[in-house]
Structure formats: C-alpha cells, structure tokens
Amino acid sequence: MTFTTRPTLRGTFGMVSSTHWLASASAMSALERGGNAFDAAVAAGFVLHVVEPHMNGPGGEVPVIFARADDPRPVVLAGQGPAPKGATIEHFTSQGLDLVPGAGLLAAAVPAAVDTWLILLRDHGTKPLGEVLSYAIRYARCGHPVAPLVCATIERVRPLFEQDWPSSARQWLPAGRVPVPGDLLVNEAYAVTLERLVAVSERVRGREAQIDAARRAWREGFVAEAIDEFVRRPHRDSSGRDHPGVLRADDMAGFEAGYEQPVTTGFRGVTVAKTAPWGQGPALLQMLQLLEPLHDDALDPSHPDGIHVIAEAMKLALADREAWYGDSADVPVADLLAPGYAQQRRALIDDRASAVLRPGSPGGRDVRMSSMVRSTGPRAGRADPSGLTGEPTVARLAEHPGDTCHVDVVDRWGNIVSATPSGGWLQSSPTIPELGFCLGTRLQMCWLEPDLPSSLVPGRRPRTTLSPTLVLRANQPVLACGSPGGDQQDQWQLLFLLRHLVLGMDLQAAIDAPMWHTTSFPSSFFPRETTPAGLVLESRLEAAAARLRERGHDVSLAEPWSLSQLCVVTRDPESGVLSAAANPRGMQGYAAGR
C-alpha cells in the first residue's frame, strides 16, 4: 500500500469534500438529517462564508455543476454576476485608470453567490431554508475557531483597515487586535442578515415560495438597499485613491442566477464537463485534447519529461483563454475544441520551453488581445499603493495554498454537486456594517479596452477563473472535483485527473502527489503580471528542476506542501460505492462520509 496523508474514504450513504472541516461536517450533518446532496452543498456554502471569509463571501459568486439522480445529464448553474450598468470603460478611464483595481468598490460585479445557492436549494433540495442556514447562523453568532490563514490575511491588511476601511477594522480586528488562531471569531451582523432572510421566508407558505421570498429580500429588499447606500461613499482601492462604486440596487434586482448547458469533451473513455467560456473551464478541456493521443508514460506529472509536455499544453490552452474566452456569443467554442485544431496546436510542442504567449486562430480567425499583453514582455506588476493585490493569495509561489473555496457532495441516491465559491473576500473591499460582509472584485478580470472577448461591458460577466468539474462515464456521473487557486485551478485539476484517470492512482494519492503549475501567461488578477516560461514546482520535485531549466523553463520552488487544495467525490454507478478525498495542504480541507 502507498502511504497517503489520509485515507480515501469509502461508503454508500454520502460523501462530502470541502476546503474547511466545518463546512464538510455541516454538509454531512445535512445528509444525516435526511437531506440530499443539494441541501448539503448549500449548507456547506453558507458555512464557508463564515469560516473562510478570506476566500469567499456572500458578496461573491459560485459557479455550480451538478447532475441529479433522476437525470444524469450535467447542468451548470451559472452563479457569476455581471458588470453593473454603471461599469463602463469610459467611467473607469475617466478616473485615470487603465486596469480595473484589484480591491475596492469599483471592481464589484453584481453579487451572485446567495441567489445561486438559494436557487439550487429551491429547485433541487428538500429542506426548508431555516434548517439549511442554521449551521452558518450558529457559527456567525456564536463564533468559530478561526483558522491560521484567516489570521494571516487580516494581519497583512490590518494597516488598510485601520487607516481607510474602519468598518472592516470593527469586524475583523475585535478588541483592536488581529485574532489569534483558535480564537472564536464572531460575525453578528451576518448572523442577523441570514436570520432576516429566514424571517422573511417564514411569512409565506410553501418551501419554494419561502425561498423565493428570501431571494427577493436579498435582490430587492434590505440587502440591496444597504449595498446601494454604502457603495456611494468613496473608499480607498488598489489605485491608491478613493473611489465610490457603481453597483446599484436595480443591478441586483435585475440579476438571477440561471441554468446553462456545460461544455464537454471526451478523454480516455470519460466525458469531462465544464462551464462555458465565461469561466476558464474549457481550457481544461483543451489541455485534455492536446494530451489525449500521447502515451501514458508521457503524461506522468512527476517526471521531468511529463512535466515539460504537460506544461507546454497548459500554456497553449491558457493562451487561447487569453485571446478567445469571455461572456460573448462569438467565442468559437466548437473550433477551439475541434480535434483538428488540437492536432494543429499539439505540433507546437517541442523539446524547448516556450516563453511566448501563443494563442491560435480557431477557424482562421484573427487573434484579439489586450494591447498590454501584445506590447509588453514580462510584466513585473505595478505598485499597489493600497497594499492589496487582486488575488487573495498575493504570491504566485503559493505563500498561502489557494484562493477561493470548493465543495463536492454525492449522496446515496446518486445526486452529485461540484461548486467553487469565491469573491467577496474580507480583503476585497470595506465591510458593509449592516450586513457583515463586503463586495467582491471580480471585474478586475475585465480589460479596459473595447472589442475584446473579456472587455468590461455592462451586463456582461467577467471571464472568471472559477472552474468546478464533473466527469461522466457511459453517460453516468462518476466524479466531481475542483480546487481553489485562481489561474491554477484547472492546471492542478489536470494533474489530478492525469494521475487518477491515466496512471490509475487512488484519489488521495493523486491529491497528495507533488503539484506544480505554469505562470507563463497574463494573470487574471490585478496587476496582471506574467513570468515568461515560468514554472512553479513544489520542492518535492526539486530533482526535476535542473532538467527542466535545461529545457528553458524558469523554475521556482515553492514549499513542499503548498500548491493546490483539491477536493473530490466519486460514485460507482454499478455498485453504488461512494468515495471522497481532500487536500491536506493548508491544514483546512477535509472529506467526510460513510
């Protein structure tokens, strides 16, 4: 037997994997109380708002991909809010900006997380709203033992809170100091917000009608009113200046999370399903297509030769992401995923590491990219006067293991859910005191140049990095997975899938194996830096570094257990056996089940 940090869990009742043990335990409790996978996922999602506030919040977003026991076809619930009506390129450039700030009020998209979770609960869950929210309410009101990474994040942004964001200082610096790991951290205002939603819901009859009443209170009632009033007051952002936001109550009233069909591709006998290219998910599908015909021995993510080939495939797919992906009807998805296009792009992979961003021309189209990408070489980034960057992890060397959260759930009936909550990080923007949370900054992923697939356009979703995954075999869902990590999410998922699907590694062994990623493309986060030929390896792969440098890779070594925060659950349709595994990095993620 191969040693793993934890066992791969197996059972027949239900399985959960998430990035925080309290979310996993809450989801498992929901299953034990007779709920299904959707009830459990929503319970976990609201708990994650409370226990990982540096990684997600109610003001953020959550793309979800799922399949029901009575209909195994994968479905996407697109929980990404669009740019507000006032978020025009002209408005931002009139403020002297050439990039959307990575922190502050200007970068707020319409909050989507709460509406998405509530729609998932209404349409596919079985439990009443009050029961599902009870876990988050209790942790918000009574406190939860705060994790070390939350404390580290608060310490890093403490000067900004004390000098410029006093409402955040009141919430996250209780008694005027940074919390110590293990302190009970309370968010009374958020507990009240959730209780008000429950109280509104209980004024009407019928479970679905109650949830819709709570949605209206969020989108059109007291939550939208408090946000509208707060964002009109200027606050410091990543430009080093004070700006008000442009999000308004009517933007919130006009948004509802909606269902979409996923984008899929085949790989080694399975079908992999992702969101449409308003997310980066199709890049994983392109990576798989590039690697599909290669011999198994060439796809070992721990061998120098495998690392080289896989990294070059990643670069090609992510270059296409930069040139072609966005919330636009003219994204050439079919051409990007055509076998002939993959064959054409595969021919670009040779023995040397590429240091050039090389998007292709699917269907013969002309490449369109930001002038910042076209006209500059390495971007070391610019000064960030606020002391903040857009990505919550700050450093690409994984000073902290991943941004964002993730939760996967599968139940005994065969319902399966994969969700990647993010945005609204406590360091995103100042806390709205009446509500107990802040707004997200997802618009930083939009370019302030017109006519690009990912240009800032009111009503259009930013091209997000959030990327949950569902895998099917013989048209039956068999695996749900995902990881925090911004631009690295699909890179780390690719390594996991190759190890599990191609090399036959056990779930936990595939998660535990050394991780790595490339940084040879423009970051999706302010200040949009890139490292040509950049390759970041966990130091457990140090023996491979010399050979990779000989091939031209700009190798950096991260801490030995620092990259990725993968979660996974599986179901064998024939036997009904369920499995789960979770990442040990960061010492927060946990799987639970029986």
Side-chain angles (χ1 to χ4, degrees), residues 63 74 82 85 113 151 158 202 207 237 242 254 278 305 348 378 437 527 558:
K85 295 183 183 70
C151 300
R158 178 167 58 94
E202 292 176 344
R207 196 186 73 90
D237 60 32
D242 293 358
W278 53 263
D305 294 339
L348 297 176
F437 63 84

Side-chain angles (χ1 to χ4, degrees), residues 8 19 84 104 139 142 152 166 176 307 394 578:
T8 293
T19 49
Y139 287 127
C142 301
I307 294 173
V394 185
L578 313 176

Side-chain angles (χ1 to χ4, degrees), residues 303-387:
H303 190 280
D305 294 339
I307 294 173
H308 171 77
V309 169
I310 297 165
E312 295 307 295
M314 289 174 173
K315 293 177 190 178
L316 293 172
L318 290 166
D320 277 346
R321 183 197 72 167
E322 188 61 38
W324 300 108
Y325 288 22
D327 187 20
S328 173
D330 60 357
V331 177
V333 179
D335 289 332
L336 287 164
L337 294 176
Y341 182 70
Q343 182 178 359
Q344 174 190 354
R345 298 285 280 159
R346 193 181 303 115
L348 297 176
I349 299 175
D350 57 27
D351 290 337
R352 296 291 301 170
S354 172
V356 180
L357 192 69
R358 298 184 291 178
S361 300
R365 295 170 177 80
D366 293 331
V367 173
R368 296 174 295 164
M369 288 197 301
S370 164
S371 61
M372 288 189 177
V373 175
R374 294 195 310 269
S375 64
T376 61
R379 283 178 55 82
R382 61 189 61 188
D384 186 359
S386 70

Side-chain angles (χ1 to χ4, degrees), residues 36-39 66-68 70 75 77 118-127 207-208 259 415 417:
N36 64 16
F38 303 104
D39 298 310
F66 66 89
R68 290 176 56 104
D70 58 2
V75 178
L77 182 53
L118 295 185
I119 287 176
L120 189 70
L121 179 65
R122 181 196 66 187
D123 295 348
H124 308 287
T126 64
K127 293 295 184 178
R207 196 186 73 90
E208 294 180 9
Y259 294 103
N415 299 302
V417 186

